[in-house]
Amino acid sequence: DIDWAFYLNSLTFFLSGVLTLLTHVPSLPDVENTSVRAIGQNLRAGLQTVGATPILRSLFIVGGPIYLIFGLQNTLILPFSVRELQASDFHFGLQQAAETVGIAVGSLFMARLADRIREGQWLALSFLGLAVVGVLYSLSGVVSSAILLMGISGFVNAPSYIGRQLVIQRATPREMRGRVNSAFFVLRDLMYVVGMALAGLADVFN
């Protein structure tokens, strides 16, 4: 029954919640003012910290087009699979599963090797790898190769995600991490939406 997919998904969120509750982190004073104005001020403070920290500023600038590409690409994968690869729903699901497995394997890989080179080098290698895999995926003509490439895409994407989080954690003062992360989240979501909107160009260009 397809309902079980949703039950299992809910279970993973429940387990994540339990594990989070068991994590003990020294608390900071509560911020009582949660008005829209206060949220804007906090976001501005996060952006100021990003602007004043060279490595965060570079990561923010590079992140814009990267997130836009992700939004564009993720929106086009389904119609590409259906129209060009003649993939079924099952085949599309396998692509998504392969990407998830790739991310998990890549994360385990990073757990052992993350300290071998600097975070920026991991980011560069990951972005270059994603570029190559993205081009190969667009040229794939059969579903089997597309599934394999999605798995590889997830694997090479893991270093960029982990490297980005390491940069933010290590370069941001503890009391500003929430604001700086929020600035990156806003950038990510905004560029995702722009990328999704640009996917409408697929109705104009083949």
Side-chain angles (χ1 to χ4, degrees), residues 55 59 62 66 105-130 155-167 170:
I55 191 170
L59 185 62
V62 170
I66 293 293
V105 174
S107 298
L108 292 173
F109 173 82
M110 288 295 294
R112 292 185 60 86
L113 302 178
D115 292 332
R116 297 289 181 90
I117 61 176
R118 296 182 64 83
E119 301 94 329
Q121 293 172 312
W122 280 122
L123 287 164
L125 289 172
S126 180
F127 292 151
L128 289 171
L130 285 168
F155 180 83
V156 299
N157 188 22
S160 72
Y161 178 78
I162 294 172
R164 182 170 60 249
Q165 291 303 113
L166 285 174
V167 167
R170 292 174 177 175

Side-chain angles (χ1 to χ4, degrees), residues 119-146:
E119 301 94 329
Q121 293 172 312
W122 280 122
L123 287 164
L125 289 172
S126 180
F127 292 151
L128 289 171
L130 285 168
V132 171
V133 175
V135 170
L136 292 176
Y137 180 86
S138 71
L139 298 174
S140 61
V142 293
V143 175
S144 57
S145 64

Side-chain angles (χ1 to χ4, degrees), residues 14 45 83 111 168:
F14 176 77
R83 298 178 190 176
I168 293 173

Side-chain angles (χ1 to χ4, degrees), residues 34 37 41 50 56 61 65-66 70 88 116 123 135 146-147 164 167-168 177 181 185 189 202-203 205:
T34 57
R37 181 178 180 182
Q41 291 173 341
V50 170
L56 293 178
I61 293 171
I66 293 293
F70 282 164
S88 65
R116 297 289 181 90
L123 287 164
V135 170
I147 294 171
R164 182 170 60 249
V167 167
I168 293 173
R177 283 180 188 160
N181 273 299
F185 288 151
D189 294 344
D203 294 329
F205 302 101

